Amino acid sequence: MKKIVKRIVTIISLFFLVFCANSFASKSKFNPVLNIVPSTTSVSLPAQGSATVNYTITNNANSVVNALTITPGYNMPASLLTASVSSNGCTGTLNRGSSCNFQVTLQGTGSSGSTTLMPKLCLFGGSLCSVPTAPNRTAVNVSDIPVITGLSPTTGSTAGGTTVVITAKDLLNVTSVTFAGSSATIVSSTSTTVTVTTPAHAAGLVDVVVTNQYGSGTSANAFTYGPPPTITTLSPPTGSTAGGTSVTINGTNFSDATSVTFGGTAATMGTNTATAVTATTSAHAAGTVDVTVTTPYGTATLSNSYTYLPSSLGAQCWGGNFQGQLGDGSTTSTNKPTTAVSVVTSGITTITGSFDYTCAVVNTGAKCWGYNGLGELGDGTNTNSLTPVDVYGLTSGVIDITAGGQGQTCALLSGGNMKCWGFNTVGQLGNGTTTNSNVPVSVVGLSSNVIAITEGDFYTCALLNTGTIQCWGANESGQLGNGTTTNSLAPVTVSGLSGVIAISGGSAHVCALLNTGAVKCWGLNTSGQLGNGTTTTSTTPVDVSGLSSGVSAVTAGDFHTCALMNTGGEKCWGNNFHGQLGNGTTAINSSVPIDVSGLSSGVRSIVNGNGSSCALLTSGVMKCWGYNAYGQLGVGTNNNTNTPTSIITTGLLGPILAIFNHNQPGVSNCVIYGSP
């Protein structure tokens, strides 16, 4: 019995040494028999963040150790931190000389401060306990370092400027926010959110870092930069107020498009690619509206680019009518709006014309009327017509139509291809021949990708969805823009142009509007119509002086050009023999853009013709000026005017929705009107 008692006393003494040796090693003559060693002796964490510390226990006693319990947050203030054993490999028997591991996770409670981490190890329900010796205790520093929990949105433009709201813990005293190391602009900050504007950066995933006086918090791969969208053109640019029109929007970076709006009203999205997105319009009041495409990487808006037309509308023309080009069934000229174009009572979306004939798109089909001696009407005959006739084979699928100054006509079709007909003496039809045709023929090499067309005297140009231009036909003044003066029976590329969104041709010069808002022109320049401050003809595009940005539309007359500014003002340059520049003078040309009198704002659309100019104001008023020998200005007289003058409205059959000027040497004007 005495031996048993003695053995029990010995065992108890041994356990006492094991569990208390570390606590009192500094006072004991024995070396520690249980080593408790942390992975680090210092750790920092945000006030609402977390951190972990790993521990290794080595049994240096002469006996086994088991049934350990761990109190991870011994003697730590609960108001500062909570501690838990997140991993425990010390639950079994620990043999002499063996080691085991456990992990402690610390969680901040929102306060900042300092403390010491020293887990307490106990046996026998806590009667025998130990904590690490002083060298093996971990200093803990809790600070208000930001902890990012979310971003909205998580994508934005490579150009920067995206407003991002960052949610986080401990955002007091934020000093900086960076995206991939580049500083963002801090707009506002609270204890839980900071609103910033992103800096520019190349496409890709980037880290976001928020810094305050205590340190930095990082959210890895949290924000994606991508290229913003751009809109170049729409096809068609008009549709019914009832909605339901399928519109193809051309541009760039549309692959991830999320929405399309017309005048702020959401459209139904169809298919989309990187360069085109289709959308079906919703109902909207009549008028011209902005079109906006949104992607995860930004928003693109083409201002005043789509016109809602009432379902019931028609067309009126006035001016010279010696071949029946006004379409009213007579050959009587008129100097003001009077009667409507016969037969066309609805569905008309665009009108074009030349000296003695007119064409229009009606219910997506092409119709023409007037002189037809060279096959200009495209109906398979050479017989004149005082009223509209169908163009052969083009009763549907027509988006736009344009007439040249010398008897050629072209139509842009819904497939992105085009067909031309009429006079072809120098290859202006683009079919590789010089043979006239009284029915539409295909243009060589342009079976797709065409988004806009224009014509002048004996030449034609097409704008492609690549932002480039191809021209063909006469080139004696370099109007084909390819650096030569050699005619071409098939399309050639205009030199040095990209990013083009609109084109307009004069008698022998062409101008292009770029997506930067700049204008470039080329060809004949004897009157300064290229706008570059000289009268030197150019076979390649030149910059228009003072118009490197800020232009929303451009239109070329026979020997003059005008531009509509983003401000709603109008500028013109070139020939001014008839006062067509609209600045109150006559016969004083200008080789640089000058302001049109009284039109510094409020202009919605512009057209130029043979020595004349017209503008439709946002108020619905139409003003014209310049050459008026045939009454084409519509002001009730046949006298020229060198300042914008309102047309006579008493004969209008409805509000003006769109205006059209017959190309050089045309002497008529037309409007599309809506229901009164």
Side-chain angles (χ1 to χ4, degrees):
M1 183 66 178
K2 290 182 179 180
K3 290 182 179 180
I4 294 173
V5 172
K6 184 177 181 180
R7 181 169 293 178
I8 291 172
V9 171
T10 301
I11 292 172
I12 292 173
S13 299
L14 177 60
F15 277 113
F16 181 82
L17 288 172
V18 170
F19 285 98
C20 297
N22 281 339
S23 298
F24 305 101
S26 61
K27 299 179 180 180
S28 174
K29 64 180 180 180
F30 300 104
N31 292 325
V33 294
L34 188 63
N35 287 338
I36 308 173
V37 181
S39 58
T40 180
T41 56
S42 66
V43 65
S44 296
L45 68 153
Q48 297 190 42
S50 62
T52 59
V53 179
N54 295 312
Y55 284 88
T56 299
I57 301 174
T58 303
N59 181 8
N60 291 332
N62 293 322
S63 182
V64 298
V65 174
N66 55 27
L68 287 171
T69 61
I70 303 171
T71 304
Y74 175 67
N75 211 30
M76 283 197 315
S79 60
L80 181 65
L81 289 168
T82 62
S84 61
V85 178
S86 49
S87 176
N88 189 359
C90 299
T91 58
T93 298
L94 184 62
N95 294 321
R96 183 178 60 183
S98 298
S99 300
C100 65
N101 301 286
F102 68 93
Q103 183 183 75
V104 174
T105 295
L106 301 174
Q107 176 64 53
T109 60
S111 301
S112 59
S114 300
T115 188
T116 300
L117 175 63
M118 47 180 183
K120 183 170 69 172
L121 282 68
C122 295
L123 187 66
F124 300 137
S127 59
L128 296 175
C129 300
S130 177
V131 295
T133 58
N136 288 328
R137 295 173 183 175
T138 299
V140 181
N141 179 50
V142 184
S143 60
D144 292 317
I145 297 173
V147 179
I148 299 173
T149 57
L151 281 78
S152 181
T154 57
T155 58
S157 168
T158 52
T162 302
T163 298
V164 178
V165 178
I166 302 171
T167 55
K169 301 174 182 178
D170 303 316
L171 281 179
L172 293 175
N173 304 312
V174 172
T175 56
S176 70
V177 177
T178 63
F179 286 67
S182 297
S183 295
T185 301
I186 298 176
V187 178
S188 62
S189 179
T190 69
S191 61
T192 57
T193 64
V194 57
T195 301
V196 300
T197 302
T198 60
H201 194 276
L205 277 169
V206 300
D207 296 348
V208 177
V209 178
V210 178
T211 301
N212 65 9
Q213 61 182 334
Y214 304 108
S216 299
T218 300
S219 184
N221 295 327
F223 189 83
T224 303
Y225 278 98
T230 62
I231 302 175
T232 54
T233 58
L234 308 180
S235 181
T238 59
S240 170
T241 54
T245 302
S246 179
V247 179
T248 298
I249 304 168
N250 300 294
T252 61
N253 304 319
F254 288 156
S255 295
D256 300 312
T258 56
S259 69
V260 176
T261 62
F262 287 73
T265 301
T268 302
M269 287 184 56
T271 60
N272 67 290
T273 66
T275 58
V277 57
T278 60
T280 302
T281 60
S282 298
H284 194 281
T288 301
V289 300
D290 299 346
V291 175
T292 299
V293 175
T294 299
T295 76
Y297 307 113
T299 296
T301 298
L302 193 60
S303 300
N304 297 321
S305 55
Y306 185 83
T307 301
Y308 279 96
L309 303 175
S311 56
S312 177
L313 49 83
Q316 285 183 271
C317 299
W318 58 90
N321 196 31
F322 31 85
Q323 295 291 349
Q325 60 263 44
L326 299 188
D328 61 359
S330 76
T331 55
T332 303
S333 299
T334 176
N335 56 23
K336 59 185 177 181
T338 53
T339 58
V341 174
S342 300
V343 183
V344 180
T345 58
S346 64
I348 186 167
T349 55
T350 190
I351 306 173
T352 187
S354 186
F355 181 67
D356 48 15
Y357 74 99
T358 306
C359 293
V361 177
V362 183
N363 294 318
T364 75
K367 292 180 179 290
C368 296
W369 57 94
Y371 181 69
N372 197 28
L374 301 172
E376 293 96 323
L377 305 190
D379 64 343
T381 76
N382 288 74
T383 304
N384 298 352
S385 178
L386 299 181
T387 57
V389 295
D390 291 331
V391 176
Y392 180 82
L394 297 183
T395 57
S396 64
V398 180
I399 294 174
D400 195 12
I401 194 166
T402 181
Q406 300 297 331
Q408 80 271 14
T409 311
C410 292
L412 172 61
L413 308 184
S414 57
N417 57 320
M418 59 184 295
K419 291 180 179 290
C420 299
W421 60 94
F423 198 34
N424 196 31
T425 183
V426 288
Q428 57 264 48
L429 300 189
N431 66 337
T433 76
T434 56
T435 303
N436 298 347
S437 178
N438 58 19
V439 295
V441 295
S442 296
V443 177
V444 175
L446 293 182
S447 59
S448 62
N449 301 322
V450 179
I451 58 176
I453 54 179
T454 191
E455 297 181 69
D457 288 350
F458 306 107
Y459 76 94
T460 308
C461 293
L463 171 61
L464 308 187
N465 59 12
T466 57
T468 59
I469 300 173
Q470 295 197 340
C471 298
W472 56 96
N475 196 30
E476 76 285 348
S477 299
Q479 57 264 50
L480 302 190
N482 65 338
T484 76
T485 54
T486 304
N487 297 346
S488 179
L489 304 182
V492 295
T493 301
V494 176
S495 300
L497 279 184
S498 62
V500 179
I501 61 174
I503 54 174
S504 183
S507 177
H509 78 288
V510 187
C511 291
L513 174 62
L514 308 188
N515 55 17
T516 59
V519 178
K520 290 179 178 285
C521 300
W522 60 96
L524 187 66
N525 196 31
T526 52
S527 297
Q529 56 263 51
L530 301 189
N532 66 336
T534 77
T535 54
T536 303
T537 294
S538 178
T539 60
T540 57
V542 296
D543 294 328
V544 176
S545 298
L547 296 186
S548 60
S549 64
V551 179
S552 60
V554 64
T555 180
D558 52 353
F559 303 108
H560 75 294
T561 313
C562 295
L564 175 59
M565 309 303 294
N566 290 339
T567 58
E570 184 174 0
K571 295 177 180 288
C572 296
W573 59 95
N575 189 278
N576 197 33
F577 184 79
H578 302 289
Q580 58 262 50
L581 300 189
N583 67 333
T585 69
T586 302
I588 302 175
N589 299 344
S590 178
S591 60
V592 295
I594 56 177
D595 293 330
V596 176
S597 297
L599 295 184
S600 60
S601 63
V603 179
R604 192 172 84 191
S605 62
I606 56 175
V607 292
N608 285 358
N610 176 26
S612 65
S613 308
C614 292
L616 178 61
L617 309 189
T618 54
S619 62
V621 173
M622 180 178 179
K623 291 178 178 283
C624 296
W625 58 98
Y627 184 49
N628 195 33
Y630 295 88
Q632 59 264 45
L633 300 188
V635 296
T637 74
N638 286 49
N639 300 322
N640 297 350
T641 176
N642 56 21
T643 57
T645 304
S646 298
I647 70 167
I648 301 297
T649 59
T650 53
L652 285 174
L653 301 179
I656 298 174
L657 302 177
I659 60 175
F660 304 90
N661 203 328
H662 282 51
N663 291 335
Q664 62 291 333
V667 289
S668 307
N669 281 315
C670 296
V671 298
I672 293 175
Y673 62 86
S675 299

